[in-house]
Amino acid sequence: VPHYRQLTAGDEQALLGRHMNRVTDTCIPEMEAMRKIEKVVLAEWVKADRAGESYFPHEFMYTLLNSGVMKADYEIDTKDSWMIAAAERNLPIVVGGWEDSTMGNIFASYIIKNEMKATTMKSGIEYMVWLADWYRQNSGGKGVGFFQIGGGIAGDFPICVVPMMYQDLEWHDVPFWSYFCQISDSTTSYGSYSGAVPNEKITWGKLDINTPKYIVESDATIVVPLIFAYILGW
């Protein structure tokens, strides 16, 4: 969308009329994106619902990708897709706040229409319960490193598992996160959430006073690939 900062309310209304939902300078075409996925994921939702089964949001997506049902609509080389790579390896993913997504809204609509049970989709609370078990199994008594890309609930949801276990469950053998690094372009200001500096997390019991802490204030799409390339020795 050229000159997206200068769009009038009328311009925005015109985009809505074309089913073009805007995110800064890019529009997500409703009919070619969300609605296309809805058609195929709905079959998986119905299958699980009728079988009395329940899965996490990302597990339904993994099923679709591994089945190949959407291959005809792929628009990039599969070797460049992080989602396909994650699905092939069954990478653990915690999607806190999925209920606030477009697909979450669509799933809710089927519940309201009595075409689906809410229990078919595992909740954010179940994600946190699963994450607590994963952390204890993988921390090795030393903690797990926390590398945060961007801000908001995507980062703050999983990082809270440590204070939840320590403060609410009173498991005092739970180690803090072993390090914290965030790539962020958010401005630190009064009440800023995404722009919070690492030391602030000490007050919440997420990080220890001696936890290595880093914040890189830049565009994650530029910085993160460079960091990964360095780590992997490319």
Side-chain angles (χ1 to χ4, degrees), residues 50-69:
R50 291 178 178 173
E53 299 171 346
S54 62
Y55 299 96
F56 285 121
H58 77 274
E59 291 179 314
F60 280 111
M61 291 296 136
Y62 279 1
T63 298
L64 290 182
L65 293 173
N66 288 327
S67 72
V69 69

Side-chain angles (χ1 to χ4, degrees), residues 90-124:
N90 195 28
L91 191 72
I93 295 182
V94 176
V95 191
W98 177 85
E99 295 83 353
D100 187 39
S101 70
T102 298
M103 295 311 297
N105 295 163
I106 292 172
F107 183 79
S109 74
Y110 283 101
I111 297 173
I112 294 170
K113 291 185 291 186
N114 292 317
E115 296 179 17
M116 201 83 62
K117 296 186 294 294
T119 52
T120 299
M121 188 69 67
K122 291 186 177 180
S123 70

Side-chain angles (χ1 to χ4, degrees), residues 141-153:
K142 299 179 181 179
V144 177
F146 197 97
F147 186 86
Q148 181 172 335
I149 302 173
I153 192 172

